[in-house]
Amino acid sequence: MNIKLSFFSLMASMSLCASAISVTTTPGNLASQVGENTGETVLVVKGEINACDFEFIANKMPSLTSLDLSETTIVAYSGNPILLGKTDYKANAIPEYALAGSQIQSIKLPNELQIIGDGAFSSTKLSTIIIPESVKEIGLGAFSNCDELTSVTIPANVGTLGAHAFVDCDKLATINLGVSKINASTFARCKSLNNVSANSLIEIGESAFAGCVSLESFTFAPTIKVIGNSAFQGSGLKSIDFSASESLDSIGAWAFAQCKALTIATMNNNTSKIGEGAFFDDASLVAFNLPASCTAVPNYIFKGNSSIDTTNILNQNIISIGNYALIDMHHVTTFTLPHTLQYIGDNAFEGWTSLTQLNADGISEVPELGESVWNGVEQSNVTLTVSEDMVDSFKSADQWKEFIVNGMSKVENVINEEISNRISAYFAGYDLIVKADSEIKEISIFDSSARQYAIETPNNTEVVINTADWYSPLYIVKVILADNSMATLKVARHN
């Protein structure tokens, strides 16, 4: 029995050896070295090769599944048209589409390789790939449609990562990125992608991760500056946190649109540009804060997001609200318009069917309106609160006059004057600073409509409260000292 097992093991070993070949060659002579062994499945090449040798592998070795080029050097080629009819090929570069559509399942790349050409390994059977540190450029669609590829490591030296490089790699689950920029559609529709390590990204290109339905989380590096149009559209993201991404300047149009599982988006106040529809049709989104640097609410940004909490959704610097930006938020009963608001676009507040109170008491000029801004809102049942000197202006303005317009009286400056000299309150930017000559027991902060913003129990003589996410230009500060003395002050913020 043991003799038979040994015999069959020997035969299997001989069979395996018969399917492999190792050759040492010079540029353009691989065909003569392989000879009649073109049916082999494993090829180990040593020496120097050029584009002619890649053409031979692609056209004459259809059964090849494993290729070892680790001990080869690719030299330049110039001569008769080959491969795609080109006559010149660079040194240390895998030629464009050299092995596209082949049966290659594994490959060891040359240690001095610098360029992986466009489409070089597209639609192959590669399962894993280790890209040498020497590589500086990965071409357009280089690994696209590699259905068996599961993981890839891209070193930091890669200065150019071509568009569509890994698009439609259905089984690609893990990527380690050292690059600073990801181009358009690089990993689009990688349906299994769920683990991305990218610590030095500066720019994420258009549709880079669009359709990555298994991508539930993504850690945005502090270095990130730009997120392109549709970058994560239709992905599986559940939350977004830009709180540490202080360099983030812009988020492109539709960047996070149709992310059905997205519930929370934490923004950084330095982000000044957000494209239209950036969070369009994110039906599960409930928490969002528009960055303080943004002065415009983009068109369609929250269209389809009827569950979002609107308490702090807009900052106090908003000048314009775009078309359909806040449509169909059926649950909102009370809303405050930023005091800087100058324009509201078409259908922006359409479908706010539960609205009963609209506050505009900080606005000094009636904002211009697009068409059908309040479509579906029962304006005759909604109280619009404005400052006393703006009542007539709102009552005579189209689309505003349909509200119940009420004036808000101004608040007295100081109550309990006997201790007012012991307490001071003022703004330094968005920071409200309250000081007293003895320990402060409690501070309550309201706006002029008596809406409470905060209550603090500092037990200190000085308190700093950040108000960047608050809307009102005027605040009522009620201060109680440790001896229960109390004063109420009116404090204006000028930003």
Side-chain angles (χ1 to χ4, degrees):
M1 187 68 174
N2 290 336
I3 295 174
K4 289 183 178 180
L5 284 174
S6 297
F7 173 76
F8 285 120
S9 297
L10 178 61
M11 293 299 292
S13 177
M14 291 175 64
S15 175
L16 179 61
C17 290
S19 64
I21 185 173
S22 178
V23 299
T24 300
T25 186
T26 55
N29 292 314
L30 183 61
S32 62
Q33 296 299 320
V34 172
E36 297 179 356
N37 299 309
T38 55
E40 307 296 348
T41 59
V42 178
L43 176 63
V44 179
V45 183
K46 300 177 182 179
E48 294 183 337
I49 59 175
N50 63 18
C52 283
D53 300 311
F54 280 102
E55 182 181 48
F56 167 74
I57 294 171
N59 295 334
K60 301 300 182 180
M61 301 190 74
S63 301
L64 195 65
T65 59
S66 177
L67 179 61
D68 185 347
L69 301 176
S70 59
E71 295 186 47
T72 64
T73 299
I74 302 172
V75 300
Y77 171 86
S78 181
N80 294 327
I82 55 174
L83 289 172
L84 298 177
K86 289 181 61 177
T87 58
D88 294 285
Y89 288 89
K90 295 179 180 178
N92 297 314
I94 305 287
E96 293 92 331
Y97 302 95
L99 298 172
S102 70
Q103 298 300 308
I104 294 290
Q105 297 175 13
S106 66
I107 187 168
K108 293 182 180 179
L109 298 172
N111 293 325
E112 297 179 0
L113 184 68
Q114 295 183 4
I115 300 171
I116 298 176
D118 295 350
F121 298 100
S122 62
S123 301
T124 61
K125 303 298 182 181
L126 285 173
S127 59
T128 60
I129 183 71
I130 297 175
I131 297 172
E133 294 287 337
S134 57
V135 172
K136 298 178 180 179
E137 180 180 335
I138 297 176
L140 177 73
F143 296 91
S144 60
N145 293 286
C146 289
D147 293 337
E148 301 301 320
L149 190 63
T150 59
S151 66
V152 63
T153 297
I154 302 173
N157 289 336
V158 176
T160 302
L161 180 56
H164 310 277
F166 294 88
V167 69
D168 289 319
C169 291
D170 288 348
K171 293 183 181 179
L172 183 60
T174 302
I175 54 173
N176 294 301
L177 296 168
V179 298
S180 60
K181 180 180 179 180
I182 299 177
N183 283 313
S185 301
T186 300
F187 298 100
R189 299 186 300 278
C190 290
K191 296 185 290 188
S192 300
L193 187 61
N194 58 28
N195 185 3
V196 179
S197 175
N199 299 321
S200 55
L201 275 178
I202 294 175
E203 182 175 347
I204 298 175
E206 182 175 342
S207 301
F209 293 95
C212 294
V213 293
S214 298
L215 187 61
E216 296 183 353
S217 64
F218 192 99
T219 301
F220 292 94
T223 53
I224 194 72
K225 290 184 178 181
V226 177
I227 295 175
N229 297 342
S230 302
F232 292 88
Q233 184 172 358
S235 69
L237 289 177
K238 291 185 175 180
S239 64
I240 298 168
D241 187 356
F242 291 120
S243 57
S245 304
E246 295 185 357
S247 298
L248 181 61
D249 177 63
S250 64
I251 296 174
W254 318 101
F256 298 96
Q258 297 172 320
C259 293
K260 301 298 185 183
L262 186 62
T263 58
I264 299 172
T266 304
M267 307 302 292
N268 189 291
N269 279 331
N270 294 337
T271 306
S272 59
K273 304 168 190 172
I274 298 181
E276 75 171 19
F279 295 88
F280 171 84
D281 202 19
D282 293 343
S284 300
L285 187 63
V286 295
F288 182 91
N289 59 300
L290 200 71
S293 298
C294 282
T295 59
V297 181
N299 298 337
Y300 306 102
I301 184 170
F302 300 121
K303 189 177 186 296
N305 306 345
S306 60
S307 300
I308 200 167
D309 181 1
T310 60
T311 305
N312 293 315
I313 194 172
L314 305 184
N315 66 55
Q316 70 288 333
N317 300 317
I318 294 299
I319 294 173
S320 65
I321 297 175
N323 300 337
Y324 298 90
L326 306 170
I327 190 173
D328 288 335
M329 295 188 181
H330 310 290
H331 62 291
V332 182
T333 57
T334 302
F335 193 74
T336 299
L337 298 173
H339 69 278
T340 50
L341 188 64
Q342 298 177 12
Y343 177 77
I344 304 176
D346 299 349
N347 303 82
F349 287 89
E350 179 178 323
W352 284 45
T353 54
S354 298
L355 188 65
T356 59
Q357 176 70 48
L358 187 62
N359 301 306
D361 50 298
I363 294 178
S364 58
E365 291 186 19
V366 179
E368 295 182 30
L369 300 179
E371 297 182 3
S372 305
V373 170
W374 315 101
N375 191 31
V377 178
E378 292 292 336
Q379 290 177 259
S380 60
N381 296 326
V382 179
T383 299
L384 172 61
T385 302
V386 300
S387 62
E388 217 169 47
D389 54 355
M390 289 297 296
V391 171
D392 291 340
S393 297
F394 275 95
K395 280 187 174 181
S396 61
D398 288 342
Q399 295 191 68
W400 291 104
K401 60 187 178 184
E402 286 81 7
F403 290 109
I404 304 169
V405 182
N406 282 345
M408 172 63 66
S409 299
K410 294 183 178 179
V411 185
E412 290 301 318
N413 197 17
V414 179
I415 305 172
N416 293 10
E417 292 188 14
E418 65 274 11
I419 69 162
S420 63
N421 62 339
R422 298 173 54 193
I423 299 171
S424 64
Y426 60 91
F427 277 98
Y430 291 119
D431 288 336
L432 173 62
I433 300 171
V434 182
K435 295 181 180 180
D437 63 1
S438 63
E439 189 175 271
I440 300 171
K441 178 180 178 181
E442 182 178 291
I443 297 175
S444 301
I445 303 172
F446 307 84
D447 66 10
S448 57
S449 300
R451 293 185 297 277
Q452 189 174 58
Y453 279 83
I455 183 168
E456 302 277 345
T457 54
N459 297 320
N460 207 333
T461 58
E462 181 175 337
V463 184
V464 179
I465 301 170
N466 185 273
T467 67
D469 294 329
W470 301 355
Y471 313 116
S472 178
L474 184 68
Y475 296 93
I476 311 304
V477 182
K478 180 181 178 182
V479 183
I480 302 176
L481 302 181
D483 61 3
N484 290 321
S485 299
M486 182 180 70
T488 303
L489 298 87
K490 181 176 71 174
V491 187
R493 184 180 66 190
H494 303 288
N495 296 109

